[in-house]
Amino acid sequence: MSMDDAAQKQHPLHLPEVLFQVALYLDAKDVLACSLVSRTSHSAFEPYVWRNLHIGVHPSQHTTLRHQDPFARFISIKTQVSNNQGQSQLSEGSQPSEDDLLQVLHRASPWIRSLSIHKHYSTYQLNFNGRCTMLESLSIEGPPLDDQFDTAYWDNCKTLVRKNSANLRSLTMMSWGRSYRGRKLPKWSPLSECVQHKNLRSLRIQGGSFRDKQWASYWKIFEDLESLTLEFIHLPPPPSIANEFPRLRTLVLHQLRTEPLRQLDWIIRLCPMLQTLEWTLEPTTHFPVEFTHYFVGLTWPELGSISIKGHRDYMSHEDYISILKATQRPFRVLDLKIQSQPQDLFDMLRQSHFKTLTKVDLFSAVAIPQCVQEVLESCPLLEHITAKVITAQDITNGRPWVCIGLKEFKVMINMGFGRMKLDRGAKRPKFTESEQGLCHAVFEQLGRLEQLHVLDLRRHYWFTDMRAYFPLPLELRLGLGQLSRLEDIEVIGFHGSQDLRMTDVEWMLQTWRYLTAVYGDQLSSKRSGTFENEYVRNHKLASVLNSRGVRFQKHEDDTKTRGLVGSWARLLYDTESESEGEVEE
């Protein structure tokens, strides 16, 4: 058979150019599996295996990064190269040494397009021997975590940034201060290598400060950015000749060590094309009323997403109404700190903004009846909702929710059953048929939110009469199985004690493969003969979840990330009584 005949009979999936296109529809786990099929598939898929690499990133952030880029891969220099499911990429043999891992990185470095290094257990892990030259996105945390601080780390940083400065479109620098553990750091910043190039479009700087001599050149970089994030830094005055930022669309300022009014005048005011503003002030500062004046004066005609929080005082209702009236377009996000949200403000949001809102915080709107249900059934683009409480009666009596793309649901669901007591000798609380039917109806509504990542049913404030509130029980016998289509669930939060059986927990672990955290919010009260006293302080649930790689801690870990909070819950291994006395006549 001739070569032409062989080429005609070659299967399309054996052609590298076809495999390249197939890889675009896969995630990191599938790409890795395909790269091990044959030599042809290996050469086609391996560039995608190493396309987006994260070193030392905390496991709680893995799922978030995976949703942002399906090719995201995670490495810990102390352990082993792993794919995004935590499985070993190397074979079943012995654990690879650090040298072996670095050799793998050096060989794969030409294919890396996005690189983030957040824990420097080895000062040499940045040494790619000059082969990593095609980076488009780079994130580097500051000095190494060990005490072996030497110039090799800085030399490797400089080499990596200089080799890629002409291609970089996104740069993140964290913890780049002037000193580290009492030592003065060299006067060098990765940003200084990008001054001569005009290709950066996204910049994030966390910690440290700007040196006066470099500030004018950095300002030139800001003028070409589309996204800028500044966190925990001191902001110097603008240079003598300070132009506006005509391309900047997204601006995030988080607890800058500069007065809010100066932040407003020096940075925010100079962004005429701003579309998204996330501004977190320090707790001791006040809300600058000048922001309202600038907004009403149409300083930012394209601004459709505003989040301003952290300040100690509240925004006045007059300023809030002025912003709603002056906006040139419907808001996607309007997260402002006001003491309460009266009916007139809620009505203005409903009339003009419900169809475009992607994030709603109704934490101060508890006095408005059925407001949470109205948002859920009227905002089709909603992705995040936070509120104090919604009742099961509102859910069942209202219309179906239209926010099918909801990703975060942070609302306590009050079933209205009141405080339940255990009969003598009973192992589980009893529910009437109507109560069971109400639980099933609530789970049916939640089951439609197939893109949900966070389901937080925790109580976020203190009720006046706690006896009037009963949280949604997370039990299979009451309808938990209707959440089986929520395959992307990462975090589950529940209020108070839960009568979780081993079958309930196993179902969660098998159904929600991305589950990383289960948490609660309080230690149940100890009252004799009540439901709480029977189920308090049992640690079996924590041990089972931790053994399966799901975090279950006693206290909130970090409010910036999705908090990993512990809970007190009862886990029963005996299932003999699961079918006994579940319905009370």
Coordinates of all heavy atoms in Angstrom, one line a residue, residues 9-37:
K9 N -6.5 6.5 4.5 CA -7.2 5.7 5.5 C -6.9 6.0 6.9 O -7.4 5.4 7.8 CB -6.8 4.2 5.2 CG -7.3 3.7 3.9 CD -6.9 2.2 3.8 CE -7.5 1.6 2.5 NZ -7.2 0.2 2.3
Q10 N -6.1 7.1 7.2 CA -5.8 7.5 8.5 C -7.0 8.1 9.2 O -7.7 8.9 8.6 CB -4.7 8.5 8.6 CG -4.2 8.8 10.0 CD -3.0 9.8 10.0 OE1 -2.7 10.3 8.9 NE2 -2.4 9.9 11.1
H11 N -7.3 7.6 10.4 CA -8.5 8.1 11.1 C -8.3 9.6 11.4 O -7.2 10.1 11.8 CB -8.7 7.3 12.4 CG -10.0 7.5 13.1 ND1 -10.3 8.6 13.8 CD2 -11.1 6.8 13.0 CE1 -11.6 8.5 14.2 NE2 -12.1 7.4 13.7
P12 N -9.4 10.4 11.3 CA -9.3 11.9 11.6 C -8.7 12.2 13.0 O -8.0 13.2 13.1 CB -10.7 12.4 11.4 CG -11.3 11.4 10.5 CD -10.7 10.0 10.8
L13 N -9.1 11.4 14.0 CA -8.6 11.6 15.3 C -7.1 11.4 15.5 O -6.6 11.6 16.6 CB -9.4 10.8 16.3 CG -10.9 11.3 16.5 CD1 -11.6 10.4 17.6 CD2 -10.9 12.7 16.9
H14 N -6.5 10.8 14.5 CA -5.0 10.6 14.5 C -4.3 11.8 14.0 O -3.0 11.8 14.0 CB -4.6 9.3 13.8 CG -5.2 8.1 14.4 ND1 -5.2 6.9 13.8 CD2 -5.7 7.9 15.7 CE1 -5.7 6.0 14.6 NE2 -6.1 6.6 15.7
L15 N -5.0 12.8 13.4 CA -4.3 14.0 12.9 C -4.1 15.0 14.0 O -5.0 15.3 14.7 CB -5.2 14.6 11.8 CG -5.5 13.7 10.6 CD1 -6.4 14.4 9.6 CD2 -4.2 13.3 9.8
P16 N -2.8 15.5 14.2 CA -2.6 16.4 15.3 C -3.4 17.7 15.2 O -3.9 18.2 16.2 CB -1.1 16.7 15.1 CG -0.5 15.6 14.3 CD -1.6 15.1 13.4
E17 N -3.7 18.2 14.0 CA -4.5 19.4 13.9 C -5.9 19.2 14.4 O -6.5 20.1 14.9 CB -4.5 20.0 12.5 CG -5.0 19.0 11.4 CD -3.8 18.1 10.8 OE1 -2.8 18.0 11.5 OE2 -4.0 17.6 9.7
V18 N -6.4 18.0 14.2 CA -7.8 17.7 14.7 C -7.7 17.5 16.3 O -8.6 18.0 17.0 CB -8.3 16.4 14.1 CG1 -9.7 16.0 14.7 CG2 -8.5 16.6 12.6
L19 N -6.7 16.9 16.8 CA -6.6 16.7 18.2 C -6.4 18.0 18.9 O -6.9 18.2 20.1 CB -5.4 15.8 18.5 CG -5.5 14.3 18.0 CD1 -4.2 13.6 18.3 CD2 -6.7 13.7 18.6
F20 N -5.7 19.0 18.3 CA -5.6 20.3 18.9 C -7.0 20.9 19.1 O -7.3 21.5 20.2 CB -4.8 21.2 18.0 CG -3.4 20.9 17.9 CD1 -2.6 21.2 16.8 CD2 -2.7 20.4 19.0 CE1 -1.3 20.9 16.7 CE2 -1.4 20.1 19.0 CZ -0.6 20.3 17.9
Q21 N -7.9 20.8 18.2 CA -9.2 21.3 18.3 C -10.1 20.5 19.4 O -10.9 21.1 20.1 CB -10.0 21.3 17.0 CG -9.3 22.1 15.9 CD -9.3 23.6 16.3 OE1 -10.3 24.1 16.9 NE2 -8.2 24.3 16.0
V22 N -9.9 19.2 19.5 CA -10.6 18.4 20.4 C -10.2 18.8 21.9 O -11.0 18.9 22.8 CB -10.2 16.9 20.2 CG1 -10.8 16.1 21.4 CG2 -10.8 16.4 18.9
A23 N -8.9 19.2 22.1 CA -8.4 19.5 23.4 C -9.1 20.8 23.9 O -9.2 20.9 25.1 CB -6.9 19.8 23.3
L24 N -9.6 21.7 23.1 CA -10.2 22.9 23.5 C -11.5 22.6 24.2 O -12.0 23.5 25.0 CB -10.5 23.8 22.3 CG -9.2 24.3 21.6 CD1 -9.6 25.1 20.4 CD2 -8.3 25.1 22.5
Y25 N -12.1 21.4 24.0 CA -13.4 21.1 24.7 C -13.2 20.2 25.9 O -14.2 19.7 26.4 CB -14.3 20.4 23.6 CG -14.7 21.3 22.5 CD1 -13.9 21.3 21.3 CD2 -15.8 22.2 22.5 CE1 -14.2 22.2 20.3 CE2 -16.1 23.0 21.5 CZ -15.3 23.0 20.4 OH -15.6 23.8 19.3
L26 N -12.0 20.0 26.3 CA -11.7 19.1 27.5 C -11.2 19.9 28.7 O -10.9 21.1 28.5 CB -10.7 18.1 27.1 CG -11.0 17.2 25.8 CD1 -9.9 16.3 25.5 CD2 -12.3 16.4 26.0
D27 N -11.2 19.3 29.8 CA -10.6 19.9 31.0 C -9.3 19.2 31.3 O -8.8 18.4 30.5 CB -11.5 19.7 32.2 CG -11.9 18.3 32.6 OD1 -11.1 17.4 32.1 OD2 -12.8 18.1 33.3
A28 N -8.6 19.7 32.3 CA -7.2 19.2 32.6 C -7.1 17.7 32.8 O -6.2 17.1 32.4 CB -6.7 20.0 33.8
K29 N -8.1 17.2 33.5 CA -8.1 15.7 33.8 C -8.2 14.9 32.5 O -7.4 14.0 32.2 CB -9.2 15.3 34.7 CG -9.3 13.9 35.0 CD -10.5 13.6 36.0 CE -10.6 12.1 36.3 NZ -11.7 11.8 37.1
D30 N -9.1 15.3 31.6 CA -9.3 14.6 30.3 C -8.1 14.8 29.4 O -7.7 13.9 28.7 CB -10.6 15.0 29.6 CG -11.8 14.7 30.5 OD1 -11.8 13.7 31.2 OD2 -12.8 15.4 30.4
V31 N -7.6 16.0 29.4 CA -6.4 16.3 28.5 C -5.2 15.4 29.0 O -4.5 14.8 28.1 CB -6.0 17.8 28.6 CG1 -4.6 18.0 28.0 CG2 -7.1 18.6 27.8
L32 N -5.0 15.3 30.3 CA -3.9 14.4 30.8 C -4.1 13.0 30.4 O -3.2 12.3 29.9 CB -3.9 14.5 32.3 CG -2.8 13.7 33.0 CD1 -1.4 14.0 32.5 CD2 -2.9 13.8 34.5
A33 N -5.4 12.5 30.5 CA -5.7 11.1 30.1 C -5.4 10.9 28.6 O -4.8 9.9 28.2 CB -7.1 10.7 30.5
C34 N -5.8 11.8 27.8 CA -5.6 11.7 26.3 C -4.2 11.7 25.9 O -3.7 11.1 25.0 CB -6.4 12.8 25.6 SG -8.2 12.7 25.7
S35 N -3.4 12.5 26.7 CA -1.9 12.6 26.4 C -1.2 11.3 26.6 O -0.1 11.1 26.1 CB -1.3 13.7 27.2 OG -1.3 13.4 28.6
L36 N -1.8 10.3 27.3 CA -1.1 9.1 27.6 C -1.6 7.9 26.7 O -1.2 6.8 26.9 CB -1.4 8.7 29.1 CG -1.0 9.7 30.1 CD1 -1.4 9.2 31.5 CD2 0.5 9.9 30.1
V37 N -2.4 8.2 25.7 CA -2.9 7.2 24.8 C -1.9 6.7 23.8 O -1.7 5.5 23.7 CB -4.2 7.7 24.1 CG1 -4.7 6.7 23.1 CG2 -5.3 8.0 25.1

